Amino acid sequence: MSEKYKLTFDEMIQHLLTKNVQFNIISETEAIEILRTRNYYYKLTSYKHNYRKEFDKIPEGIYTHLEFAYLVDLAAIDMKLRYILIQMCLDLEHAIKVRILEDITDDDTQDGFQIVLDYLNTIPTTVEKYIGKMGSYASYAKKMYDRHHQKLPIWVFMECVSFGQFVRFVEYYYLQNKKNDAYYKKLHISLKHIKNIRNAAAHSTPILMNIAEPGRSKKTELASDFLLQVHTIGRDVRNKKLKNHRVHDLVLLLFIYEEYITSSGMKKHTFSDLFSLLQRCKRNKSYYEKNLALISTFTFFEKIIIHLDEK
């Protein structure tokens, strides 16, 4: 493996040229300005993995039909996608919390406090260790923490935990209290995958990197069952796409969102954003004419979004 070292902006361009990345649409000078002021090299070039390399040509491992402008376009699309996905995840988190609190409120066997203690005992840990950071002076929830941490009710617990902690609690709640409940069973299966999307979007990690490459991930039966509803997607395409773990996780988020969000206004707004994103993807469609894998992936998600919007 060759030694890695920091590149100057000129060296970044030269390195891309050795990989046969072209600068016919965006010039080399313009590309340097983009790398200086709009995006950074590592993130922008991560999208090149959606393009094929040629290993039977000299030099080996060069890209075919890849313009720097294509990477810039994918980065812009990915940014808009992440904004939509993080909002969807926030909407979903809120909707699930509302449902859990409704169920606990209606459950005469629950006092709202013991369930928190029982859950923490399964880890095992104390309230202070689990959410102790909430008591720091920098935390917006310090007053909430100071008032309730010695005897923590579920409705405060929900406001204090991270999304990862919340996912683990939902899994516990399903296994302990709702063994035959389809609502929580689907969440038990899907939330760990949706967390991947949520974390990536929240940390501005590229979602579309490797989105078109063949995968080897093990798909969930739930994702397959969801896609069976989309009659315009055949079995072979369904099985192939779900092997890509990014595609798989996005499929779960889209279907769970449509099913679990009860606000029609919220869903209408989200699907309006998704359709706007689809239109944005087509703005420079000539960039992708020779990338059949990306076209196939776009068509796959377009069919899902149309199907869910029509339900």
Side-chain angles (χ1 to χ4, degrees):
M1 180 181 294
S2 60
E3 185 178 351
K4 303 294 184 180
Y5 58 94
K6 185 181 74 172
L7 300 176
T8 66
F9 287 105
D10 287 332
E11 288 172 335
M12 293 176 189
I13 301 303
Q14 291 306 310
H15 181 71
L16 290 173
L17 285 169
T18 65
K19 297 295 183 181
N20 202 33
V21 177
Q22 303 293 304
F23 294 87
N24 297 309
I25 301 172
I26 292 176
S27 70
E28 294 175 26
T29 301
E30 291 170 325
I32 289 176
E33 183 64 19
I34 289 170
L35 291 171
R36 281 186 175 277
T37 62
R38 285 172 48 187
N39 211 330
Y40 48 91
Y41 181 84
Y42 187 77
K43 174 179 278 189
L44 197 58
T45 58
S46 70
Y47 301 104
K48 71 181 185 293
H49 299 296
N50 288 308
Y51 288 82
R52 290 180 56 193
K53 284 183 175 181
E54 293 286 352
F55 291 96
D56 57 350
K57 296 181 179 180
I58 302 298
E60 288 188 348
I62 63 173
Y63 289 95
T64 58
H65 310 301
L66 177 53
E67 287 275 348
F68 184 81
Y70 302 173
L71 304 178
V72 174
D73 195 57
L74 280 173
I77 292 169
D78 201 27
M79 179 188 70
K80 293 179 181 296
L81 173 63
R82 291 194 302 272
Y83 291 165
I84 297 172
L85 294 176
I86 192 62
Q87 187 60 59
M88 290 175 70
C89 290
L90 291 172
D91 292 347
L92 188 59
E93 180 181 0
H94 176 75
I96 298 168
K97 286 179 177 179
V98 170
R99 173 61 183 266
I100 290 175
L101 291 176
E102 177 191 17
D103 289 343
I104 291 176
T105 300
D106 288 339
D107 187 347
D108 293 336
T109 68
Q110 296 279 1
D111 65 2
F113 294 86
Q114 189 61 43
I115 189 172
V116 177
L117 293 175
D118 291 344
Y119 168 66
L120 294 178
N121 284 336
T122 65
I123 298 177
T125 189
T126 63
V127 172
E128 286 76 12
K129 290 181 180 178
Y130 199 63
I131 57 173
K133 291 181 180 179
M134 302 297 291
S136 70
Y137 287 104
S139 172
Y140 289 169
K142 176 173 170 49
K143 287 187 177 180
M144 185 187 302
Y145 175 85
D146 289 345
R147 181 176 180 181
H148 295 285
H149 74 277
Q150 291 184 336
K151 188 177 182 182
L152 191 65
I154 185 63
W155 47 91
V156 175
F157 176 82
M158 289 292 186
E159 299 302 313
C160 294
V161 294
S162 68
F163 188 74
Q165 292 167 337
F166 171 67
V167 170
R168 287 190 288 274
F169 176 81
V170 174
E171 292 174 344
Y172 163 82
Y173 187 63
Y174 163 70
L175 292 172
Q176 295 298 316
N177 302 284
K178 296 286 182 178
K179 295 184 183 299
N180 298 314
D181 192 299
Y183 181 92
Y184 291 102
K185 183 177 181 179
K186 290 180 183 179
L187 295 178
H188 171 69
I189 296 169
S190 64
L191 276 184
K192 62 176 70 71
H193 299 284
I194 292 172
K195 184 180 71 171
N196 296 335
I197 298 294
R198 195 252 193 201
N199 289 345
H203 293 285
S204 196
T205 302
I207 302 291
L208 296 180
M209 178 177 65
N210 307 118
I211 194 71
E213 73 175 11
R216 298 180 179 178
S217 299
K218 185 178 180 180
K219 64 182 182 294
T220 60
E221 186 177 343
L222 180 61
S224 296
D225 289 344
F226 279 144
L227 284 182
L228 283 172
Q229 302 172 25
V230 188
H231 301 305
T232 53
I233 296 177
R235 182 181 63 181
D236 291 343
V237 172
R238 180 173 68 245
N239 291 335
K240 180 180 179 180
K241 294 299 183 186
L242 287 180
K243 289 180 180 179
N244 181 300
H245 70 281
R246 293 170 187 265
V247 171
H248 172 272
D249 294 350
L250 286 168
V251 166
L252 284 176
L253 174 58
L254 287 167
F255 277 89
I256 289 292
Y257 185 91
E258 192 285 327
E259 183 172 334
Y260 281 65
I261 297 300
T262 58
S263 168
S264 59
M266 192 177 290
K267 283 200 282 192
K268 182 178 180 181
H269 176 78
T270 296
F271 278 92
S272 175
D273 286 345
L274 288 170
F275 278 111
S276 294
L277 179 64
L278 291 176
Q279 289 302 116
R280 170 59 185 86
C281 291
K282 297 176 182 178
R283 179 190 298 176
N284 296 310
K285 62 182 181 180
S286 62
Y287 288 4
Y288 309 104
E289 288 176 345
K290 296 181 179 180
N291 192 326
L292 299 182
L294 273 178
I295 292 173
S296 172
T297 302
F298 170 83
T299 303
F300 174 80
F301 280 110
E302 183 179 42
K303 289 177 178 179
I304 292 173
I305 292 169
I306 291 172
H307 165 78
L308 292 175
D309 185 58
E310 292 175 347
K311 288 187 70 174

